[in-house]
Amino acid sequence: MGINIGLDIGAISLKVAALGKPGDRAVLEAVHAAHPELRLMALDDHPLLLSDYRRISGSPIQTTYDLLRELYDVIPEDRVEGMRVTGSGSRNIAKVLGLFFENEFKAIARMVRTFYPEVRTIFELGGESSKYIRLDGSGGIQDYDRSGECAAGTGSFLDQQALRMRYSVEEVGELVCSAGCAARIAGRCSVFAKSDMIHAQQKGYSPAEILRGLCDAVARNFKSSIVKGRPVAAQVALIGAVSQNAGVAGALREAFGLAGEELFVPAEYAWCGAIGTAILEAEEPRKRSILEIHRLRQHNAEESVQDTQPLSTANVVQLRDRVPVYAPPAGGGPIRAYLGLDIGSVSTNVVAIDESGTVIHDVYLRTAGRPIEAVQQGLAEVERLWGARMEIAGVGTTGSGRELIAEFVGADVVNDEITAHKTGAIHISSTLGGEPVDTIFEIGGQDSKFIAIENGVVTDFAMNEACAAGTGSFLEEQADKLGISIKGEFARLALGAQNPTRLGERCTVFMERDVTGWMHKGETVPSLVAGLAYSIALNYLNRVVRGRRIGKVVYFQGGTAYNDAVTAAFASLLAKKITVPPYNGVMGAIGMALIARQWHQATGAASRFRGYDLRKLELTTRDFVCKACTNLCDMKEFVIEGQKSYWGDKCSDKFRKPSTTGRKPVIEDLFAYREGLLEALPAVSGGFKIGLPRAMSMFERLPFWKRYFAELGMEVVMSPVTDPRISAAGIELSVAEPCYPVQVAHGHVEALLKASVDYVCLPVMADAEGGEGDACASHYCPWNQTLPWVLKSAPGLEAEAARFLTPTLHFRLGPEQIKKALAETLRRLGIARRASDRAVDAAFAEQRRFQERLAEAGRKALAALDAAGEPGLVLAGRGYNIYDRGVNCDIPRKLRHRYGANVIPLDFLVTGAERLAAEQSNMFWVSGRKILEAARVVSERPNLHMIYITNFKCGPDSYIKHFAREAAGAPLLMLQFDGHGNDAGYMTRCEAYLDSKGILRCYQAQPSIH
């Protein structure tokens, strides 16, 4: 007789399996009787007891001890023959108890081989990790992979998003099945996915449509990042906590083309590791002596030197409680009032002010994924308390949901958050007296903002580029994971910690894993929450402020400012006084109420306010797919009181919203001009069909390649413009995890192969032409340089590798090297060296003419701006980020059409061959040289401003952007993309930047009505 115990200790939960011999049945039945929540089953004639699914909640060692204690209270210790552990959080337990640690893949495979021998593929989506395992006919592991450090698309993230929208994980599956369509969600980074979800909810998507989009994103991410094109043979067992989400299970079946019965969820979905570990321990003839479990009670956290000072509130100035109760004018007459609404990702705020700017009433509510309902609730409270006396003369909206809510409430002004927070803070500062505020730190649920003010004007601002690392929602999620309340308890514990844990300021998801690691080492909760407070402040200072000047009077605003621990962390790190002003959580709404007052005073117009009860509105909605182009955008039509508005378009063509300002561009549409030049390039029909992918360096070299192949009598076939089908195919084909443009390139190559081209031109682009007398190289990035090999290694493309034309080109070495390389490559097509050389000469001449025409158009644009006294926006970045509408959400064109901005792409101003300043002369990336030269041009012209478009995971851009800020000599706007399906966050940043540059005006931001 002897019982073998397997423990699976993960990041989120603990599972135990106790496998006995036939003679141990009575003992395990006694355990089951004492603890009915445990499950008793049989493996052949061996009894098997499974624990409940137990969450760790910040105390893995204590949770393990409690569960083992329950077993040992009934099972005599001498009946336990062996014990073995597995899982990401088990190593410390193994060390304390002297147990053997089992490999997770081996444990899972052993269980599946025993219980489900017909299974050939295992998908595991757990709390913070994902796995792919392929089994052979005997149950041995043929291939495997797992997620890296990033926990995108795992159980903890899905839990958080479901709870944020007030659904349990079990409810999500049924809800998703009822969705008519799916919101497009970026799936690779869980923080980006959360941003897309929030922007989708602010554009009117229902919770069911958003959660279905999230499930689809999780499936896409699993297919591209974990499976990476490997074979998926039925039967497929889906295990792990996420398997209980029917929406994800359905999305995986769809993504992998599996029939309903080909992918199933085992009854032991969460206990596979524990059961497999128990079986392996039972099969092990050599047993380790098991140390007493009470050692878990005696174990202390690993000693570590923590040089972080305890949090202190000595430099914190708390003014948020200095809010007087509003005293209405005597006599009971009407009060002229203005409403400000701030519709954010986590909170929705409604504020009413009177003619003097005094706050009559403020409401701070949870958005909870339902912005319209939250606004309705806030307006109802204002009406109940003050509706009888107030006459609304103006309404303003801000926040990520400002445009949609403006349609519903009948707003008169719509503004970005930067302007709203600045306006509110200056007003509150002036009413308090003392020195005026000159710096604003604002941390909300999803966005962080830094605003520098001088004489009432925004002189500099910054927002988190795309990632929401270190914002309020992250703190809430970590507090929930640690089993504490974010209100009160978090700050109390953090301020009492003597040794805050050093967590750094990495990506939110990595920081979450750091917290898990410290928990498994036995770190105390107070030290962890104090470390989290420090990490939020460090993240903000290093990733948002980035060395900008911080003034004397610092206001800390936003919902996160309610957390005294974060305020104390800022004060400790900066050794400055940090002021939490009155109304810190609703400052944006106050600002919008004040801007609405300015609008009314300036125009005298009557407000469009529709009333407090949105339920009385005559409202209809319709979902449809726009087929005006290949983007096939999922659209929503709202008809409010007979007025139509449309949401969801990426391309702004058929359903283009009118300009939100009175401004008209004074320069030619340079994007259309460039496309016209490319369309006019010579082309021939007949001969070999050569495919050119609209991807990577091809955007810059199209004139060269079109002319080269035309001279040789070959027909050039361009891949389609990037659309959702191409990008989705590219993500699935990618084996590595490159940047989004490289993933999209996979999709473009596949599209060309399906178009039956004879060959696809995929040159190895080593470098570009250098400047005259320039000693520094001009390299393309490593992904450009190795793209052909990357594409050949993709399982979905390797069979077609013989159709790839892959000459290695060093443009820096001049035409002779290009001629030699192309002649060698084209020899197999029967092209003579002399003909190829002539075609190369013609191609170089065509490329020069193209660049000269762009430069001439750029000079005309600058002259037109000077003559009109108008500002211009220089778009800097790599060609594929600037010109690929499917990659950049068509932001460049929207800047022109929605805001009347004069947009100039950088290749209309620079070529990359210019001599750089001495301090930047060693810039060896060709795109870096162009970007820095464009920044220098901007620095020399006060009427030019710069927007830098980049992409997530771009190594060179990660540091080029710092040099670009210095070279520009003024604040620039950074936009980072990674397959996002929603432009709301980017348009917010653009509006704020344009407003800070004086290109927008408050009262001109009228809501768009069709």
Side-chain angles (χ1 to χ4, degrees):
M1 290 188 290
I3 296 171
N4 288 280
I5 295 175
L7 291 107
D8 183 359
I9 307 164
I12 303 296
S13 63
L14 164 69
K15 289 81 64 178
V16 171
L19 179 63
K21 293 186 170 67
D24 298 310
R25 181 173 299 279
V27 175
L28 293 180
E29 284 177 347
V31 178
H32 177 60
H35 299 281
E37 71 276 9
L38 306 186
R39 183 151 51 113
L40 184 62
M41 54 190 299
L43 176 57
D44 297 326
D45 58 346
H46 293 250
L48 177 62
L49 188 73
L50 303 182
S51 71
D52 54 344
Y53 183 89
R54 194 160 298 193
R55 290 185 177 269
I56 289 171
S57 297
S59 306
I61 294 176
Q62 183 64 45
T63 307
T64 304
Y65 173 80
D66 291 342
L67 187 51
L68 289 177
R69 183 75 269 161
E70 291 175 16
L71 295 178
Y72 275 72
D73 282 344
V74 183
I75 303 174
E77 284 197 36
D78 59 3
R79 296 293 291 269
V80 177
E81 183 181 62
M83 189 183 300
R84 187 176 295 211
V85 296
T86 192
S88 59
S90 62
R91 290 188 180 274
N92 203 40
I93 304 291
K95 181 179 176 183
V96 174
L97 294 180
L99 303 176
F100 182 77
F101 170 80
E102 186 57 76
N103 177 278
E104 295 172 69
F105 290 95
K106 186 178 176 183
I108 292 169
R110 184 68 184 83
M111 181 274 177
V112 172
R113 185 177 77 193
T114 303
F115 280 72
Y116 303 98
E118 72 280 5
V119 166
R120 293 294 172 267
T121 310
I122 303 169
F123 292 168
E124 185 194 35
L125 279 81
E128 284 191 1
S129 65
S130 303
K131 300 181 186 71
Y132 158 83
I133 307 173
R134 185 156 58 96
L135 304 177
D136 58 24
S138 62
I141 297 176
Q142 268 191 311
D143 198 1
Y144 67 93
D145 205 347
R146 70 180 303 157
S147 55
E149 280 200 51
C150 186
T154 52
S156 59
F157 172 66
L158 285 166
D159 276 0
Q160 292 159 6
Q161 300 319 304
L163 291 171
R164 186 178 66 79
M165 302 183 81
R166 294 182 181 172
Y167 292 104
S168 67
V169 178
E170 292 74 22
E171 292 174 311
V172 170
E174 183 179 348
L175 188 70
V176 164
C177 294
S178 69
C181 66
R184 177 74 181 180
I185 307 294
R188 172 155 54 174
C189 172
S190 58
V191 183
F192 286 177
K194 185 161 58 175
S195 298
D196 270 1
M197 288 175 67
I198 286 160
H199 295 140
Q201 84 187 24
Q202 307 291 31
K203 286 199 168 183
Y205 283 94
S206 70
E209 293 164 343
I210 294 169
L211 289 169
R212 178 177 172 183
L214 177 63
C215 292
D216 290 347
V218 167
R220 288 197 311 270
N221 183 62
F222 186 84
K223 186 174 184 180
S224 63
S225 302
I226 313 297
V227 180
K228 299 176 182 174
R230 295 181 177 90
V232 174
Q235 294 278 342
V236 179
L238 176 60
I239 65 173
V242 179
S243 67
Q244 298 307 286
N245 185 322
V248 172
L252 285 169
R253 288 189 184 98
E254 187 175 333
F256 289 96
L258 297 167
E261 67 279 0
E262 289 180 322
L263 183 147
F264 73 100
V265 178
E268 308 80 13
Y269 65 91
W271 292 267
C272 295
I275 295 172
T277 303
I279 294 173
L280 289 167
E281 180 63 23
E283 294 172 344
E284 175 62 56
R286 296 168 298 173
K287 303 292 185 183
R288 291 191 179 191
S289 61
I290 303 169
L291 301 177
E292 299 87 347
I293 64 167
H294 65 76
R295 292 202 174 195
L296 292 174
R297 294 288 301 273
Q298 300 166 352
H299 175 70
N300 294 318
E302 291 183 13
E303 291 295 327
S304 58
V305 178
Q306 298 283 6
D307 56 357
T308 310
Q309 294 296 315
L311 293 168
S312 169
T313 57
N315 268 344
V316 174
V317 181
Q318 288 285 6
L319 302 179
R320 64 170 174 245
D321 295 327
R322 299 187 190 178
V323 180
V325 176
Y326 180 71
I335 304 170
R336 178 176 287 178
Y338 304 89
L339 289 176
L341 293 87
D342 185 352
I343 308 92
S345 58
V346 172
S347 69
T348 292
N349 314 315
V350 181
V351 166
I353 64 170
D354 65 11
E355 196 69 52
S356 67
T358 303
V359 174
I360 299 172
H361 189 69
D362 66 287
V363 184
Y364 182 94
L365 296 166
R366 292 283 174 168
T367 305
R370 298 168 175 81
I372 298 172
E373 289 89 332
V375 169
Q376 173 64 68
Q377 188 180 343
L379 289 175
E381 181 175 325
V382 172
E383 181 185 28
R384 178 171 54 83
L385 296 174
W386 294 97
R389 290 200 62 180
M390 291 195 312
E391 290 182 351
I392 304 302
V395 180
T397 60
T398 190
S400 54
R402 60 188 180 276
E403 292 187 351
L404 177 63
I405 297 302
E407 304 275 9
F408 277 85
V409 301
D412 305 298
V413 285
V414 183
N415 256 91
D416 62 273
E417 295 97 310
I418 298 293
T419 305
H421 276 275
K422 177 264 295 186
T423 304
I426 290 175
H427 174 75
I428 294 296
S429 174
S430 65
T431 58
L432 291 174
E435 289 189 84
V437 58
D438 57 13
T439 305
I440 297 171
F441 292 174
E442 197 273 339
I443 303 181
Q446 192 71 11
D447 283 328
S448 301
K449 309 169 192 70
F450 167 84
I451 308 171
I453 302 169
E454 190 173 326
N455 298 323
V457 176
V458 174
T459 56
D460 193 5
F461 88 95
M463 295 179 72
N464 51 325
E465 289 170 8
C467 185
T471 51
S473 57
F474 169 67
L475 271 187
E476 287 194 49
E477 290 156 4
Q478 292 309 299
D480 181 66
K481 183 177 176 180
L482 294 169
I484 62 174
S485 169
I486 190 67
K487 292 183 179 179
E489 188 178 8
F490 186 105
R492 178 176 57 77
L493 292 172
L495 292 171
Q498 294 304 304
N499 296 297
T501 309
R502 181 177 283 277
L503 295 171
E505 38 87 31
R506 300 199 296 163
C507 162
T508 291
V509 182
F510 294 163
M511 211 186 302
E512 188 170 350
R513 292 180 74 90
D514 288 345
V515 170
T516 301
W518 280 104
M519 277 174 16
H520 288 308
K521 292 177 183 178
E523 183 63 285
T524 65
V525 171
S527 295
L528 281 171
V529 294
L532 282 168
Y534 266 120
S535 70
I536 293 294
L538 278 168
N539 197 301
Y540 178 87
L541 294 172
N542 292 338
R543 296 174 186 266
V544 180
V545 179
R546 294 180 185 269
R548 292 175 169 84
R549 187 186 73 83
I550 298 174
K552 294 180 180 178
V553 182
V554 181
Y555 271 19
F556 182 26
Q557 301 175 182
T560 307
Y562 286 118
N563 192 317
D564 293 341
V566 179
T567 314
F570 274 121
S572 300
L573 290 168
L574 295 173
K576 284 177 175 281
K577 286 194 178 298
I578 303 294
T579 301
V580 180
Y583 307 107
N584 63 280
V586 298
M587 197 67 78
I590 291 175
M592 282 316 303
L594 292 165
I595 291 171
R597 185 184 66 171
Q598 294 170 9
W599 166 84
H600 179 72
Q601 292 172 347
T603 65
S607 176
R608 296 174 57 248
F609 182 51
R610 300 183 190 274
Y612 295 103
D613 194 348
L614 302 184
R615 292 169 298 185
K616 293 180 180 178
L617 295 179
E618 185 181 330
L619 168 68
T620 60
T621 63
R622 178 172 68 98
D623 295 325
F624 65 97
V625 175
C626 172
K627 298 180 180 178
C629 70
T630 56
N631 270 335
L632 300 177
C633 299
D634 290 320
M635 300 290 297
K636 296 191 83 70
E637 177 191 73
F638 287 91
V639 183
I640 308 170
E641 300 288 309
Q643 295 177 318
K644 292 183 179 180
S645 65
Y646 296 94
W647 304 86
D649 62 302
K650 299 186 187 78
C651 43
S652 284
D653 283 341
K654 185 170 182 180
F655 297 100
R656 179 178 296 156
K657 293 179 173 62
S659 173
T660 57
T661 72
R663 188 182 297 278
K664 298 288 185 184
V666 299
I667 66 172
E668 184 178 4
D669 185 339
L670 298 180
F671 285 88
Y673 175 77
R674 188 179 188 275
E675 287 177 3
L677 291 181
L678 293 174
E679 289 294 326
L681 290 171
V684 298
S685 298
F688 287 115
K689 288 186 178 181
I690 308 296
L692 299 183
R694 294 182 197 264
M696 305 301 286
S697 62
M698 195 62 70
F699 274 97
E700 300 165 10
R701 297 280 177 181
L702 269 177
F704 180 94
W705 292 113
K706 279 196 165 186
R707 185 57 183 263
Y708 175 73
F709 289 115
E711 287 290 313
L712 296 175
M714 298 182 187
E715 182 179 345
V716 169
V717 178
M718 297 295 302
S719 63
V721 174
T722 302
D723 59 31
R725 287 172 294 192
I726 285 178
S727 58
I731 290 169
E732 291 182 5
L733 287 165
S734 302
V735 176
E737 293 189 47
C739 62
Y740 185 60
V742 173
Q743 291 180 319
V744 169
H746 285 67
H748 279 282
V749 171
E750 184 191 52
L752 288 170
L753 294 171
K754 287 182 175 179
S756 300
V757 298
D758 297 304
Y759 297 96
V760 179
C761 180
L762 294 170
V764 177
M765 299 295 289
D767 51 33
E769 300 87 346
E772 191 174 334
D774 196 344
C776 187
S778 298
H779 292 296
Y780 283 96
C781 81
W783 285 108
N784 265 300
Q785 292 175 337
T786 60
L787 185 63
W789 291 293
V790 171
L791 292 165
K792 287 178 182 179
S793 68
L797 299 175
E798 60 184 349
E800 304 291 343
R803 293 163 65 186
F804 295 171
L805 302 176
T806 59
T808 299
L809 304 180
H810 292 267
F811 280 89
R812 185 172 176 79
L813 298 180
E816 288 308 311
Q817 192 278 332
I818 306 300
K819 289 178 179 178
K820 180 181 178 183
L822 285 175
E824 290 175 356
T825 300
L826 273 292
R827 187 183 302 139
R828 65 177 169 129
L829 274 65
I831 302 299
R833 170 70 187 259
R834 185 174 298 176
S836 177
D837 286 356
R838 283 197 303 269
V840 169
D841 288 334
F844 269 109
E846 191 69 63
Q847 187 76 29
R848 280 194 299 272
R849 280 194 296 273
F850 179 75
Q851 291 175 337
E852 287 166 0
R853 288 172 181 169
L854 294 189
E856 176 61 26
R859 287 190 289 271
K860 289 180 179 177
L862 293 178
L865 293 179
D866 291 341
E870 285 284 302
L873 294 178
V874 174
L875 289 190
R878 298 160 196 279
Y880 44 84
N881 282 330
I882 293 176
Y883 292 113
D884 193 331
R885 301 168 67 169
V887 167
N888 62 29
C889 291
D890 206 27
I891 297 297
R893 288 172 180 79
K894 289 174 184 175
L895 289 169
R896 177 181 177 89
H897 298 307
R898 291 198 63 185
Y899 305 114
N902 298 293
V903 182
I904 308 176
L906 88 169
D907 54 359
F908 283 78
L909 301 177
V910 300
T911 64
E914 296 83 359
R915 183 180 292 276
L916 292 175
E919 64 271 18
Q920 298 159 348
S921 60
N922 62 346
M923 172 53 67
F924 50 82
W925 302 115
V926 59
S927 292
R929 297 175 71 86
K930 290 181 179 179
I931 291 165
L932 293 182
E933 179 60 19
R936 184 194 62 78
V937 172
V938 169
S939 72
E940 294 175 351
R941 288 177 166 267
N943 64 335
L944 292 184
H945 311 287
M946 186 165 164
I947 296 179
Y948 189 150
I949 298 181
T950 183
N951 54 268
F952 179 57
K953 297 191 82 168
C954 181
D957 274 1
S958 66
Y959 62 87
I960 291 171
K961 61 188 180 184
H962 299 291
F963 295 117
R965 285 191 179 97
E966 295 175 6
L972 58 85
L973 176 63
M974 192 78 58
L975 298 177
Q976 186 182 82
F977 293 86
D978 187 44
H980 294 77
N982 207 300
D983 64 3
Y986 300 110
M987 300 313 292
T988 290
R989 286 160 174 75
C990 290
E991 285 184 22
Y993 185 68
L994 298 179
D995 199 75
S996 72
K997 298 299 182 182
I999 297 175
L1000 300 182
R1001 289 293 176 263
C1002 293
Y1003 331 124
Q1004 294 171 331
Q1006 298 285 348
S1008 53
I1009 300 293
H1010 290 258

